[in-house]
């Protein structure tokens, strides 16, 4: 019986400590704005890279099709870069809101 009384006392002290922690307020989870900013940063990087890759692949395909090696590759790579930057700017405006 004494061991049962000891266990009850331990449970009561544990309950009291839990109540104290709840009263103080549990530590809040990480700020969602920080996580969101990191996600937006990665999204902007991916938009630029995907734009460049699409431009390069399209340029290579057109060069192969028309047998004009570097012409369309250069032009479409620049268009891909411009499209990626434009998408990044749209994302930056979205982040400002």
């Amino acid at each position: 019986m004494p061991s049962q009384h000891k266990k009850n006392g331990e449970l009561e002290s544990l309950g009291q400590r839990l109540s104290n922690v709840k009263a103080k307020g549990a530590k809040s989870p990480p700020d969602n704005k920080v996580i969101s900013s990191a996600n937006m940063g990665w999204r902007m990087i991916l938009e630029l890279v995907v734009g460049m890759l699409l431009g390069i692949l399209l340029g290579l395909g057109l060069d192969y099709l028309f047998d004009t090696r570097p012409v369309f590759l250069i032009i479409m790579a620049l268009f891909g870069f411009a499209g990626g930057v434009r998408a990044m700017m749209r994302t930056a405006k979205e982040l400002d809101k």
Side-chain angles (χ1 to χ4, degrees):
M1 207 54 149
S3 65
Q4 184 68 19
H5 182 62
K6 183 178 178 183
K7 287 181 183 179
N8 286 340
E10 289 175 359
L11 286 177
E12 286 178 17
S13 69
L14 179 62
Q16 190 175 25
R17 287 189 298 182
L18 285 173
S19 298
N20 290 339
V21 169
K22 286 180 183 178
K24 289 180 183 178
K27 192 174 184 179
S28 62
D31 193 12
N32 287 338
K33 290 183 181 181
V34 173
I35 294 170
S36 177
S37 296
N39 287 338
M40 289 299 241
W42 279 110
R43 177 179 165 187
M44 291 170 71
I45 291 170
L46 283 174
E47 286 171 346
L48 180 64
V49 170
V50 167
M52 285 289 300
L53 286 176
L54 285 175
I56 289 171
L57 290 175
L58 190 59
L60 283 173
L62 288 173
D63 278 336
Y64 179 77
L65 185 66
F66 295 120
D67 198 28
T68 56
R69 284 295 161 209
V71 175
F72 286 111
L73 174 64
I74 294 169
I75 293 170
M76 296 311 286
L78 292 174
F79 279 135
F81 178 73
V85 169
R86 185 173 178 202
M88 283 177 52
M89 296 306 287
R90 247 185 280 135
T91 302
K93 284 182 184 178
E94 185 180 313
L95 187 60
D96 281 342
K97 290 182 180 180

